Amino acid sequence: MSEHVENGSQDSQESQGAPDSPDVPDEDVVELATKIFDLARRGETETLAAYVDAGVPANLTNDRGDTLVMLAAYHGHAGAVAALLARGAEADRANDRGQTPLAGAVFKGEEAVIRALLAGGADPNAGTPSAVDTARMFAKADLLELFGAQ
């Protein structure tokens, strides 16, 4: 399974009956990936971990570059974040807009997720805006202190 799966309609070559191309994901793969992204959004840690343990890439990304960690973090699921990080997911992998899971967790005010990401090696200065920048934007002095920034 490729690490990046596009959601959406089929490519025009495929609809014209052209042979399968490595650039066009199989419909079943897209369906499975969508299910796995939803598991991350819902924080279904055990099932998500089982898929990764069975071979789904821990850094699987959707068509916007959001990783499983990003989706779990943004939706407030610290347990899922920790499980993915323990299975090799990158704590600082930015999406296509340069946003990191830590900055998203700061934006959403998810303290348990913030702590899980920091424990997993997340850099508060990574991304655009960074978690530090986001904490400054929202005057979160406690997080700036946690990040060692002022």
Side-chain angles (χ1 to χ4, degrees):
M1 176 181 297
S2 92
E3 286 204 29
H4 178 86
V5 178
E6 298 269 339
N7 292 328
S9 63
Q10 294 179 333
D11 163 293
S12 61
Q13 283 185 342
E14 186 177 334
S15 62
Q16 294 173 4
D20 288 338
S21 161
D23 295 337
V24 180
D26 179 271
E27 190 174 309
D28 292 336
V29 171
V30 172
E31 184 177 327
L32 176 60
T34 299
K35 175 181 179 176
I36 294 167
F37 294 133
D38 287 342
L39 292 171
R41 284 184 193 97
R42 291 192 309 261
E44 295 186 28
T45 304
E46 289 181 24
T47 306
L48 184 59
Y51 273 107
V52 174
D53 291 344
V56 169
N59 287 312
L60 184 71
T61 59
N62 65 16
D63 57 333
R64 292 173 300 283
D66 293 326
T67 62
L68 297 171
V69 169
M70 174 69 88
L71 296 172
Y74 194 77
H75 292 279
H77 304 298
V81 168
L84 289 164
L85 294 174
R87 287 164 172 77
E90 295 173 42
D92 289 328
R93 183 121 175 218
N95 64 15
D96 294 348
R97 296 178 61 189
Q99 302 161 328
T100 63
L102 186 56
V106 169
F107 174 75
K108 296 286 284 193
E110 297 291 350
E111 188 170 331
V113 172
I114 291 166
R115 293 190 182 281
L117 287 164
L118 290 172
D123 177 359
N125 294 302
T128 307
S130 69
V132 169
D133 294 336
T134 305
R136 281 193 184 117
M137 230 181 302
F138 293 101
K140 296 186 178 196
D142 58 327
L143 293 180
L144 289 170
E145 185 177 326
L146 180 64
F147 299 152
Q150 296 303 321

